[in-house]
Amino acid sequence: MSNPTYPAQDVCPPEDLPTEDLIRVLDPEGNLVGESLLSDDEVLGLHRAMVRQRLIDDRMLTLQRQGRIGFYGACTGQEAAVFGNTAALQPTDWIVPALREAGALLYRGLSLTDYFNQLLGNNSDVTQGRQMPCHPPGHDFHYVTMSSVIANQIPQANGLALAGKLKKDGRVTMCFMGDGATSEGDFHVGLNVASVQKLPVVFVCQNNQWSISLPVGRQTAALSFAAKAKGYGMPGARVDGNDVLAVHKVATEAAARARACEGPSFIENLTYRVGAHTTSDDPTRYRDEAVTERWKGLDPLNRTRRYLTARGLWSDEHEEAQRNELDQLIRSTWTEVESIPHPPLRSIFTDVFAEMTPQLQEQAESLERNYELGARKGWDRTIGHG
Ligand SMILES: Cc1ncc(C[n+]2csc(CCOP(=O)(O)OP(=O)(O)O)c2C)c(N)n1
Ligand SMILES: [Mg+2]
């Protein structure tokens, strides 16, 4: 009995991974090899969303290195897997993001201003700086605030999907997770419950082949995450996660299945984390960046661009003009929000009860004393996160 497993080197250059069961609509050169469900205008819109996300991520990484934001986690190289899935949903379907899907919220209409306010935790941020940067809330957009706790998205998504099923509201819940989430108990319990109860949920695993420094070959011995779906009695699909047309198509079919009360589906988007885990990480300490370079050759933005160019819809001039326009927008929005002050320190205590308790009063005074002392001594008061 043969049972193929990940090769010994733990992560592979793209050409070493099997592609027989990999669903593609575009090949890596951007040629159409399958059926697309998207109009030209829709692909142009997705390309724009992906480019904007790339530019935001690049800019935020620079600002973090300059000490102007405390923390950032980028989705670089995974844009097709974020936007292709989001575009397959109705605006009132729920999204439960994992770590790299904040772009889904921007796609649904969160303004750049509000996104940046949250990154800065300033006075205009609805969470008043009490949530980690990169974790914007999005209730109005049917987007659940990102939780950094791995795999807890799965039971949360099941809860939303069960509520939708009981209310017969026709909504689908899309639940994102990383490859790392598949080793958690919540994954096994959650997929089982969703399938047994026929919940209207679409599970999307962003297999970027790394969980911080743990390569996928040490996460699982199985070559395919999608194959796991069979054991839970739901359809599984292994999709080229750098092909936005394929990501969109498979997610559209899974969402239709959920909406028709036929139960959950599991989708693996095969992609690669070409950057660091977050700004707190340095991947050169644990991985061979020559492999990363090979994956960069499969950049999802380039694939869409080649497809659009071959259809006569795009050119280098279009690309440059769009990048300049978006870059200007990002920079000017940032300039507007960067000078907004932070919430008063005391608000951490005054926001808890209608009236401050004596204990909170004491803690507030102690913090303020120490904060002023630290400021006089020039202590670094920025906070870093994993
Ligand atoms: C339950 C739990 N364990 C450990 C961590 C620490 N942690 C944060 S991100 C991460 C890796 C996540 O990898 P993956 O799920 O593949 O997502 P990716 O970062 O690759 O998008 C870990 C282990 C956590 N946040 N929650
Ligand atoms: Mg991962």
Side-chain angles (χ1 to χ4, degrees):
M1 196 195 287
S2 88
N3 183 20
T5 59
Y6 260 97
Q9 70 260 40
D10 298 326
V11 286
C12 307
E15 55 278 12
D16 286 4
L17 282 178
T19 51
E20 303 85 60
D21 64 337
L22 194 64
I23 300 172
R24 280 180 167 152
V25 172
L26 295 179
D27 70 13
E29 282 70 47
N31 301 309
L32 203 61
V33 291
E35 187 207 350
S36 165
L37 302 181
L38 291 163
S39 69
D40 287 340
D41 278 348
E42 286 168 330
V43 183
L44 283 165
L46 279 170
H47 182 65
R48 182 181 169 88
M50 293 196 292
V51 171
R52 183 171 80 151
Q53 189 62 42
R54 178 72 56 89
L55 294 173
I56 294 171
D57 284 353
D58 288 351
R59 188 80 201 116
M60 294 309 120
L61 292 177
T62 303
L63 291 173
Q64 196 278 337
R65 288 299 185 249
Q66 293 173 350
R68 289 156 79 184
I69 51 174
F71 167 87
Y72 197 75
C75 82
T76 306
Q78 298 179 221
E79 293 88 349
V82 173
F83 295 101
N85 283 304
T86 307
L89 299 174
Q90 299 297 319
T92 51
D93 288 336
W94 282 104
I95 292 179
V96 186
L99 301 180
R100 304 186 192 277
E101 288 84 20
L105 187 50
L106 291 167
Y107 189 81
R108 284 199 165 170
L110 182 81
S111 69
L112 263 190
T113 307
D114 283 344
Y115 185 54
F116 291 166
N117 283 333
Q118 202 279 326
L119 286 174
L120 285 161
N122 65 23
N123 224 347
S124 300
D125 166 25
V126 284
T127 64
Q128 296 282 287
R130 296 191 195 138
Q131 177 58 283
M132 266 178 82
C134 280
H135 292 57
H139 189 271
D140 292 349
F141 298 98
H142 301 95
Y143 171 100
V144 176
T145 305
M146 192 177 287
S147 161
S148 285
V149 182
I150 304 305
N152 75 356
Q153 296 78 12
I154 301 167
Q156 288 174 1
N158 280 351
L160 280 165
L162 179 60
K165 183 181 169 185
L166 294 174
K167 288 196 279 186
K168 297 188 173 47
D169 64 10
R171 283 182 190 165
V172 171
T173 300
M174 181 170 276
C175 174
F176 286 97
M177 68 191 82
D179 43 294
T182 63
S183 297
E184 290 284 351
D186 278 351
F187 173 82
H188 305 286
V189 174
L191 263 67
N192 189 53
V193 166
S195 196
V196 168
Q197 301 208 13
K198 280 195 169 225
L199 299 181
V201 58
V202 178
F203 296 108
V204 179
C205 175
Q206 309 280 33
N207 177 12
N208 65 7
Q209 306 189 55
W210 288 95
S211 280
I212 312 185
S213 55
L214 192 77
V216 65
R218 285 189 226 161
Q219 189 77 252
T220 179
L223 255 181
S224 159
F225 286 104
K228 293 176 191 266
K230 196 172 182 190
Y232 300 104
M234 67 176 83
R238 185 167 171 265
V239 181
D240 186 331
N242 290 359
D243 172 354
V244 73
L245 271 55
V247 170
H248 170 267
K249 181 169 187 258
V250 174
T252 302
E253 288 162 1
R257 179 181 143 80
R259 222 179 296 283
C261 305
E262 288 167 21
S265 306
F266 182 84
I267 303 171
E268 172 186 355
N269 287 163
L270 178 68
T271 179
Y272 201 80
R273 197 198 76 209
V274 296
H277 171 68
T278 65
T279 45
S280 311
D281 173 45
D282 174 8
T284 62
R285 298 178 66 150
Y286 55 79
R287 73 180 186 184
D288 177 2
E289 293 293 17
V291 175
T292 308
E293 288 307 311
R294 307 272 271 280
W295 280 95
K296 279 186 184 169
L298 292 181
D299 189 296
L301 277 58
N302 287 345
R303 197 177 304 191
T304 316
R305 188 175 163 179
R306 286 185 193 130
Y307 168 74
L308 290 169
T309 304
R311 290 175 78 77
L313 298 164
W314 207 242
S315 64
D316 290 351
E317 290 73 35
H318 284 108
E319 184 75 16
E320 202 192 327
Q322 186 175 81
R323 279 179 180 256
N324 286 340
E325 178 223 323
L326 291 169
D327 194 51
Q328 277 308 315
L329 181 71
I330 292 164
R331 284 169 191 271
S332 60
T333 309
W334 183 263
T335 307
E336 271 170 38
V337 301
E338 196 174 20
S339 55
I340 298 173
H342 284 106
L345 191 59
R346 189 162 265 263
S347 68
I348 302 171
F349 301 94
T350 54
D351 277 359
V352 183
F353 297 111
E355 278 174 40
M356 257 213 278
T357 62
Q359 289 87 349
L360 284 177
Q361 181 75 35
E362 204 178 296
Q363 287 171 21
E365 283 162 14
S366 161
L367 177 73
E368 280 166 349
R369 265 196 316 275
N370 284 311
Y371 197 80
E372 278 160 29
L373 181 71
R376 277 205 301 278
K377 295 197 171 181
W379 291 339
D380 180 3
R381 286 166 293 147
T382 55
I383 300 165
H385 299 278

